[in-house]
Amino acid sequence: MLSQLVGEKGHVTGIDMTEDQLEVARTYVDYHMKEFGYKKTNVSFVQGYIEALTDAGLEKNSFDIIISNCVVNLSPDKKRVLAEAYSVLKDGGELYFSDVYSSGRLTEEIKNHTVLWGECLGGALWWKDLLQLAEEVGFSRPRLVTASVITVNNKELQDVLGDFKFVSATYRLFKVPKGNTKACQVIYNGDITGAEDSFQFDCQYLFKVCRAPQYKNKVKVPCSCTVYANDVKCVCISQAGDVVEVDGEVATVLTHSRFTEDFTFQPPGAPCEPCGVKPKTGVVDPFELVAQLEKQSPGSATGGCCSTQSAACCK
């Protein structure tokens, strides 16, 4: 999938600590190259550890994005994982990853429990520690995208876990300059492939694209675009998308990352009526997001480890 997303001129590097896994992955390289119509492959695989990306041969400041799914919890040195990711990312690069998080710092008993470690729970990071580690390494404040609760349907394991709760959550961390706290009004242009109508940046910001209004008997249907048709004028600020006010952190990310060309930026205080969209309060606590989702749609925030396909794990 990533090979297709980056295109033939892009490149994907996969890394795993086991040669057996890499051999399996390599067997499908030619198949996907032909499937996508590429003249040459745009994927390579290397053996190494997520705590030592540069030692595995990945060059510093060379990657636009790093994607990880339920792997960081298996590392005993999570700060080094983040530091290595920060090191190989370009300025403006992003670490987009899903993992398991706990409601507090786990006890040594839980951390050393073989079964719980294998179930991705024993190595779960307290979500507040992620915020601290990200800041220490140099990343922007983590942006929470999704979260779902993890249930443990095993009494023996639940007795060991006690009152600790777990969630699977996806965060975005960006390598961007710090210090800019000015809010900004932005308009999404709708140019991201697969997100032509709307772009869900995180759980706080949804950027929508305005579409031209429909007219019937020269009567305007409400819209949010500036167009002329049948001598009827529909006035608004943007013909591309809703004007959304973003906080300083998101403004910095959008102006210093690969998303720069996907948005039009307006200075703070610029008029945003009638289609200006005020953002809802940001959420960084995955347990809080789960609670909000449960209120909106009961059962929607229940999933398995780094997945929404299973209702429970550790059976």
Side-chain angles (χ1 to χ4, degrees), residues 59-124:
E59 296 184 8
K60 294 183 178 181
N61 305 307
S62 61
F63 290 88
D64 296 292
I65 185 171
I66 296 174
I67 298 176
S68 171
N69 184 38
C70 208
V71 174
V72 178
N73 72 86
L74 297 175
S75 171
D77 191 348
K78 296 171 178 57
K79 182 175 182 179
R80 188 176 177 188
V81 171
L82 297 183
E84 282 290 292
Y86 188 89
S87 175
V88 302
L89 283 172
K90 298 178 182 177
D91 289 340
E94 174 187 4
L95 171 59
Y96 183 97
F97 70 115
S98 298
D99 222 291
V100 178
Y101 296 91
S102 61
S103 56
R105 290 197 183 99
L106 301 179
T107 65
E108 291 302 315
E109 178 186 9
I110 295 176
K111 291 179 180 179
N112 296 323
H113 196 287
T114 305
V115 176
L116 290 175
W117 186 271
E119 293 287 353
C120 299
L121 300 181

Side-chain angles (χ1 to χ4, degrees), residues 2-289:
L2 293 178
S3 172
Q4 189 174 26
L5 285 174
V6 302
E8 190 170 9
K9 295 182 179 180
H11 189 81
V12 178
T13 300
I15 184 168
D16 195 276
M17 67 179 185
T18 61
E19 188 59 37
D20 289 343
Q21 285 288 89
L22 294 174
E23 283 302 316
V24 172
R26 292 185 181 114
T27 60
Y28 293 96
V29 170
D30 290 340
Y31 169 80
H32 285 100
M33 181 182 68
K34 295 177 182 178
E35 187 74 10
F36 301 149
Y38 295 165
K39 295 182 180 179
K40 62 179 181 179
T41 181
N42 64 348
V43 178
S44 61
F45 297 96
V46 297
Q47 185 175 12
Y49 296 88
I50 56 176
E51 306 93 338
L53 298 178
T54 51
D55 289 344
L58 276 63
E59 296 184 8
K60 294 183 178 181
N61 305 307
S62 61
F63 290 88
D64 296 292
I65 185 171
I66 296 174
I67 298 176
S68 171
N69 184 38
C70 208
V71 174
V72 178
N73 72 86
L74 297 175
S75 171
D77 191 348
K78 296 171 178 57
K79 182 175 182 179
R80 188 176 177 188
V81 171
L82 297 183
E84 282 290 292
Y86 188 89
S87 175
V88 302
L89 283 172
K90 298 178 182 177
D91 289 340
E94 174 187 4
L95 171 59
Y96 183 97
F97 70 115
S98 298
D99 222 291
V100 178
Y101 296 91
S102 61
S103 56
R105 290 197 183 99
L106 301 179
T107 65
E108 291 302 315
E109 178 186 9
I110 295 176
K111 291 179 180 179
N112 296 323
H113 196 287
T114 305
V115 176
L116 290 175
W117 186 271
E119 293 287 353
C120 299
L121 300 181
L125 189 67
W126 182 27
W127 68 271
K128 287 188 177 180
D129 281 340
L130 172 66
L131 307 187
Q132 180 178 339
L133 293 178
E135 181 179 6
E136 291 176 357
V137 167
F139 277 113
S140 62
R141 184 169 179 262
R143 309 295 308 189
L144 178 60
V145 181
T146 62
S148 59
V149 69
I150 296 175
T151 57
V152 180
N153 294 335
N154 181 297
K155 187 178 184 305
E156 182 180 347
L157 295 179
Q158 187 59 68
D159 289 341
V160 177
L161 293 173
D163 294 330
F164 285 106
K165 306 298 181 183
F166 298 87
V167 294
S168 170
T170 300
Y171 283 97
R172 316 183 77 144
L173 279 63
F174 290 88
K175 183 177 179 179
V176 294
K178 293 186 176 182
N180 178 22
T181 58
K182 292 183 179 180
C184 181
Q185 293 178 4
V186 303
I187 303 168
Y188 175 49
N189 300 328
D191 294 331
I192 297 178
T193 302
E196 290 83 0
D197 294 324
S198 65
F199 172 45
Q200 186 77 56
F201 178 74
D202 59 13
C203 67
Q204 180 181 1
Y205 292 104
L206 171 63
F207 302 103
K208 295 183 179 181
V209 173
C210 294
R211 294 303 181 190
Q214 301 296 318
Y215 292 86
K216 186 176 182 179
N217 298 325
K218 294 190 178 182
V219 176
K220 179 190 67 179
V221 177
C223 74
S224 52
C225 303
T226 302
V227 296
Y228 292 84
N230 295 335
D231 296 323
V232 178
K233 179 181 178 183
C234 173
V235 182
C236 190
I237 295 174
S238 169
Q239 192 170 0
D242 288 344
V243 179
V244 180
E245 183 176 320
V246 299
D247 58 45
E249 293 176 350
V250 173
T252 299
V253 168
L254 296 181
T255 55
H256 291 84
S257 69
R258 67 185 187 280
F259 297 118
T260 301
E261 296 182 356
D262 299 312
F263 288 84
T264 300
F265 300 88
Q266 297 185 345
C272 60
E273 296 295 338
C275 62
V277 177
K278 294 289 184 179
K280 57 186 178 181
T281 304
V283 177
V284 71
D285 177 355
F287 292 91
E288 181 182 346
L289 178 59

